[in-house]
């Protein structure tokens, strides 16, 4: 287990922390966004903020797919679940996420047939086992998850399963990063890039960040040492006045990504003209819908999806927190009306959400 | 949600529509056996004994046993190992 110990080795961690302190110019502030919710969770869990100089600030990004889903899409899904002939399937992460009329779990309590699945393939299997029912899979996630949905649809077509449909809520990470970089109230110095999304898309798609915005980025693993090393990488770039894409997680992430995954996504999905993100508003070309060739398995093409639009509760400041303008505890509802037991916003539901992580681990 | 779990391949199963290639594998994930798809690795197919990173029932990349151990320990430290295990049990309908 030498390799594992390496990532926890206090000496190596101390060396990375020392280098971060040496690289951070006390005369300036550094705002570094970790894009991925998995990183947000790890940063809080391991207390990494406490190791950093006060002028190096980590901003939590939009990379929690549950957190950026607007309430209307959950309401839409639960409308489909309301049909007594429908078996509604979703990942466990989704179950407690509130729509405007409650969560999937509350729908289940009211009698809807809502089931947790670990994989979209499990949802397909439920459809095969229940030929007289319509099975809907509530698909959610970035490029880490979208290839799995795509392959499940290819399989459904191959097996001619007719009672299976996907309600696609897949989003893509690059347009969200661009929207954040274009946002007038944001100022970021560098990015920690998502690890597992990058196993699919590779590192090339991040090149626009360095080219157009002169903003360094390091694609990072999830170990404490990974995240600290990635910080060292971007702080070195900032010291040297350069901007490039670095791959700290190259033991897992190939520079070109996973071509089989990209092929499956391209075959099944096309880019939507625009899609609403919770907290970020409408972002053009930022989400995936199912191509017409797969229409028989697309809930949006074969079932009546109402297209509900719901504005977030006024008092909740999820949007500002999601963009990093506010810290979780600066929201008026944090820890009062909104807690992990009674979440008002999705950021408090998912373990990858900034508010839930802050509530659980942070000392404010 | 974006975390992946390592599993070790114990057996491969041929694609029902294409006997030339394998599309499913039995893996051992944290002591739980289940079938996962290996279609995402079709450009570099894994074999029995190989470790793979698994996300929502699909093997996403091949990894070394050292990296698998590192990832498992990280999940345990994040408090995610039991969640990951529960999720596996949630969907224990076997994929054929």
């Amino acid at each position: 287990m030498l390799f594992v110990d390496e990532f926890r080795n206090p000496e190596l961690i101390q060396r990375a922390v020392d280098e971060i302190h040496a690289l951070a110019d006390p005369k300036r502030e550094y705002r570094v966004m970790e894009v991925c919710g998995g990183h947000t969770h790890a940063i809080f869990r391991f207390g990494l903020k406490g190791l950093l100089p006060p002028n190096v600030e980590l901003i939590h990004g939009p990379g929690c797919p549950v957190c950026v889903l607007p309430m209307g899409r959950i309401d839409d899904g639960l409308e489909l679940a309301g049909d007594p002939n429908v078996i509604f399937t979703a990942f466990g992460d989704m179950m407690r996420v509130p729509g405007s009329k409650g969560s999937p779990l509350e729908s289940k309590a009211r009698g809807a047939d809502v089931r947790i699945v670990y994989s979209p393939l499990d949802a397909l299997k439920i459809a095969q086992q229940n030929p007289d029912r319509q099975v809907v899979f509530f698909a959610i996630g970035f490029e880490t998850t979208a290839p799995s949905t795509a392959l499940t649809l290819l399989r459904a077509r191959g097996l001619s399963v007719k009672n299976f449909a996907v309600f696609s809520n897949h989003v893509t990470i690059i347009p969200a990063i661009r929207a954040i970089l274009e946002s007038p109230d944001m100022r970021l110095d560098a990015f920690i890039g998502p690890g597992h999304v990058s196993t699919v898309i590779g590192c090339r798609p991040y090149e626009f960040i360095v080219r157009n915005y002169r903003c360094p980025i390091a694609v990072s693993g999830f170990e404490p040492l990974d995240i600290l090393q990635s910080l060292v990488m971007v702080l070195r770039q900032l010291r040297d006045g350069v901007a490039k894409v670095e791959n700290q997680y190259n033991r897992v992430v190939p520079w070109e990504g996973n071509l089989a995954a990209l092929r499956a996504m391209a075959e099944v999905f096309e880019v939507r003209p625009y899609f609403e993100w919770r907290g970020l508003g409408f972002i053009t070309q930022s989400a995936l819908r199912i191509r017409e060739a797969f229409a028989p398995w697309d809930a949006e093409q074969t079932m009546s999806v109402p297209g509900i639009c719901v504005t977030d509760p006024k008092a909740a400041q999820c949007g500002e927190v999601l963009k990093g303008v506010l810290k979780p505890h600066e929201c008026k509802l944090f820890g009062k009306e909104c807690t992990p037991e009674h979440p008002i916003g999705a950021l408090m539901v998912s373990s990858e959400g900034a508010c839930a992580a802050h509530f659980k681990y942070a000392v404010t | 949600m974006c975390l992946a779990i390592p599993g070790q391949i114990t057996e491969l199963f041929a694609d029902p529509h294409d006997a030339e290639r394998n599309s499913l594998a039995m893996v051992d994930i944290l002591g739980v056996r289940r079938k996962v798809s290996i279609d995402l690795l079709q450009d570099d197919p894994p074999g029995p004994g190989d470790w793979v990173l698994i996300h929502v029932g699909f093997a996403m990349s091949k990894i070394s046993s050292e990296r698998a151990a590192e990832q498992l320990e990280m999940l345990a430290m994040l408090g995610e190992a039991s969640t990951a295990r529960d999720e596996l049990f949630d969907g224990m309908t076997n994929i054929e």
Side-chain angles (χ1 to χ4, degrees):
Chain A
M1 296 271 170
L2 192 67
F3 201 81
V4 178
D5 292 344
E6 238 171 70
F7 280 84
R8 300 282 154 59
N9 184 327
E11 272 172 45
L12 289 178
I13 288 187
Q14 191 57 51
R15 207 178 300 164
V17 169
D18 289 347
E19 186 163 3
I20 289 168
H21 280 263
L23 283 165
D25 176 355
K27 291 193 289 294
R28 61 169 288 192
E29 302 278 312
Y30 298 87
R31 288 166 60 86
V32 182
M33 175 175 276
E34 88 277 4
V35 176
C36 171
H39 287 148
T40 302
H41 187 182
I43 285 162
F44 279 102
R45 174 71 181 83
F46 297 120
L48 298 186
K49 279 187 169 182
L51 302 176
L52 304 180
N55 58 332
V56 176
E57 195 184 347
L58 291 172
I59 313 288
H60 315 304
C64 160
V66 174
C67 305
V68 296
L69 188 70
M71 284 170 106
R73 297 294 286 189
I74 300 166
D75 289 356
D76 277 345
L78 294 180
E79 282 287 322
L80 300 177
D83 180 336
N85 192 42
V86 164
I87 301 175
F88 181 84
T89 59
F91 294 138
D93 309 45
M94 279 306 304
M95 286 295 142
R96 291 176 56 244
V97 178
S100 71
K101 295 172 211 140
S103 66
L105 208 58
E106 286 163 323
S107 277
K108 185 181 170 74
R110 286 195 291 266
D113 192 344
V114 173
R115 303 187 193 180
I116 298 176
V117 289
Y118 161 66
S119 166
L121 290 174
D122 294 339
L124 180 60
K125 183 72 188 165
I126 292 171
Q128 290 173 283
Q129 288 164 341
N130 295 274
D132 52 346
R133 305 278 301 276
Q134 173 68 38
V135 172
V136 176
F137 174 63
F138 191 93
I140 181 171
F142 286 95
E143 288 92 335
T144 329
T145 322
S148 305
T149 304
L151 283 170
T152 303
L153 283 169
L154 285 164
R155 194 173 172 83
R157 186 177 69 175
L159 296 167
S160 306
V161 182
K162 296 197 164 54
N163 60 325
F164 176 73
V166 167
F167 179 36
S168 173
N169 292 283
H170 285 299
V171 284
T172 56
I173 196 69
I174 297 296
I177 294 178
R178 185 178 282 119
I180 285 169
L181 283 164
E182 293 288 342
S183 171
D185 47 3
M186 271 318 284
R187 187 190 63 77
L188 288 173
D189 298 295
F191 284 96
I192 304 283
H196 291 142
V197 160
S198 306
T199 61
V200 173
I201 67 172
C203 295
R204 213 175 282 285
Y206 303 114
E207 282 172 352
F208 83 96
I209 298 173
V210 302
R211 201 176 46 238
N212 299 355
Y213 301 91
R214 301 282 304 157
C215 199
I217 177 167
V219 171
S220 178
F222 297 87
E223 291 279 344
L225 189 57
D226 286 328
I227 295 170
L228 294 171
Q229 279 178 346
S230 301
L231 270 173
V232 168
M233 284 175 160
V234 295
L235 288 173
R236 275 188 195 149
Q237 290 192 44
L238 288 169
R239 178 198 60 193
D240 299 341
V242 297
K244 54 189 178 185
V245 182
E246 290 188 272
N247 186 4
Q248 187 278 336
Y249 202 30
N250 61 7
R251 63 190 191 278
V252 172
V253 172
W255 190 263
E256 300 293 338
N258 181 326
L259 297 180
L262 294 170
R263 280 198 304 271
M265 277 170 69
E267 182 171 0
V268 172
F269 292 116
E270 61 189 12
V271 177
R272 290 180 199 267
Y274 55 87
F275 193 73
E276 189 186 1
W277 291 54
R278 199 168 185 178
L280 298 175
F282 286 91
I283 304 178
T284 53
Q285 303 191 323
S286 65
L288 302 174
R289 68 180 174 204
I290 295 165
R291 287 186 187 277
E292 211 173 329
F294 291 83
W297 298 276
D298 180 4
E300 288 178 280
Q301 295 185 60
T302 60
M303 302 174 75
S304 55
V305 176
I308 297 167
C309 271
V310 188
T311 46
D312 274 331
K314 275 208 177 62
Q317 294 170 292
C318 305
E320 284 87 344
V321 175
L322 203 55
K323 280 194 293 186
V325 177
L326 282 186
K327 297 194 177 39
H329 67 275
E330 292 169 346
C331 170
K332 290 194 279 286
L333 302 186
F334 180 85
K336 301 182 188 87
E337 287 91 339
C338 188
T339 63
E341 285 71 38
H342 298 285
I344 294 188
L347 287 166
M348 193 56 103
V349 179
S350 165
S351 67
E352 294 173 6
C355 294
H358 199 88
F359 188 92
K360 196 166 173 199
Y361 300 114
V363 184
T364 55
Chain B
M1 166 150 205
C2 283
L3 290 178
I5 322 167
Q8 190 172 27
I9 293 182
T10 58
E11 202 181 337
L12 295 169
F13 302 93
D15 187 305
H17 301 287
D18 179 2
E20 295 287 296
R21 64 183 206 103
N22 297 308
S23 65
L24 293 172
M26 184 66 81
V27 288
D28 186 314
I29 313 169
L30 297 165
V32 179
R33 276 164 59 81
R34 80 163 271 152
K35 274 184 193 167
V36 300
S37 166
I38 52 169
D39 282 341
L40 289 176
L41 302 180
Q42 55 194 254
D43 296 337
D44 180 19
D50 282 347
W51 285 86
V52 287
L53 269 183
I54 298 155
H55 177 68
V56 301
F58 288 78
M60 293 183 67
S61 46
K62 285 206 266 187
I63 52 171
S64 67
S65 58
E66 289 84 1
R67 275 149 212 181
E70 163 207 323
Q71 182 81 1
L72 282 170
E73 202 182 307
M74 200 252 332
L75 286 169
M77 285 187 68
L78 279 177
E80 290 278 326
S82 59
T83 312
R85 216 186 145 92
D86 290 348
E87 282 177 9
L88 287 172
F89 280 116
D90 282 335
M92 270 317 276
T93 45
N94 254 336
I95 307 151
E96 297 306 330

